Amino acid sequence: MCIFCKIIAGEIPSSKVYEDDKILAFNDIEPQAPVHVIIIPKEHITSANAITPENSGVIAHIFETIPKIAKDLGIFDSGYRVVNNCGADGGQTVEHIHFHLTGGRQFGWPAG
Ligand code: AMP
Ligand code: ZN
């Protein structure tokens, strides 16, 4: 089982900020911003490369839920950045698709 599937199963503790039947959001253990939450589908999807018409509904659900999580965390109005890292060059270290929801400070663009 991958590390994020272990978090979903409760085998590894996490600081949960949102959960429903399809997705889980928890605080990143190495936050890069005042707000840094990891949002994952409960279904194991390895990366953005593995998104298909069959499983993309949960990805849409993540994006439908982001405004609610952002409101709960106080970054709805100030703004935020959502990041997905895919593969080696993308900097993906956990092979269970996840979205970083970051806020509470300004981010530059283009990102380095
Ligand atoms: P990525 O580099 O996009 O694959 O991001 C993986 C993220 O997961 C990193 O920001 C890590 O700090 C975070 N992370 C890894 N293990 C845990 C954990 N047990 N609890 C919370 N966040 C984690
Ligand atoms: Zn997994």
Side-chain angles (χ1 to χ4, degrees):
M1 216 192 283
C2 90
I3 182 171
F4 286 173
C5 281
K6 285 183 181 164
I7 286 176
I8 293 160
E11 291 176 19
I12 293 175
S14 69
S15 162
K16 286 180 196 175
V17 300
Y18 177 85
E19 181 170 21
D20 64 27
D21 58 328
K22 297 188 199 69
I23 67 173
L24 177 66
F26 52 88
N27 287 308
D28 197 293
I29 39 165
E30 276 184 60
Q32 304 300 315
V35 173
H36 187 168
V37 167
I38 299 289
I39 310 173
I40 59 174
K42 289 189 171 176
E43 173 187 356
H44 181 91
I45 299 169
T46 52
S47 77
N49 279 348
I51 297 173
T52 65
E54 286 70 37
N55 66 22
S56 63
V58 72
I59 306 300
H61 181 62
I62 284 173
F63 279 84
E64 286 165 6
T65 309
I66 281 171
K68 179 191 162 30
I69 299 172
K71 260 180 208 154
D72 290 348
L73 298 176
I75 57 170
F76 182 90
D77 291 318
S78 50
Y80 47 85
R81 179 168 290 176
V82 179
V83 170
N84 169 253
N85 298 325
C86 179
D89 280 0
Q92 184 178 5
T93 61
V94 178
E95 294 202 346
H96 180 131
I97 193 169
H98 52 278
F99 297 88
H100 299 255
L101 171 61
T102 54
R105 71 169 170 87
Q106 283 200 319
F107 299 98
W109 188 261

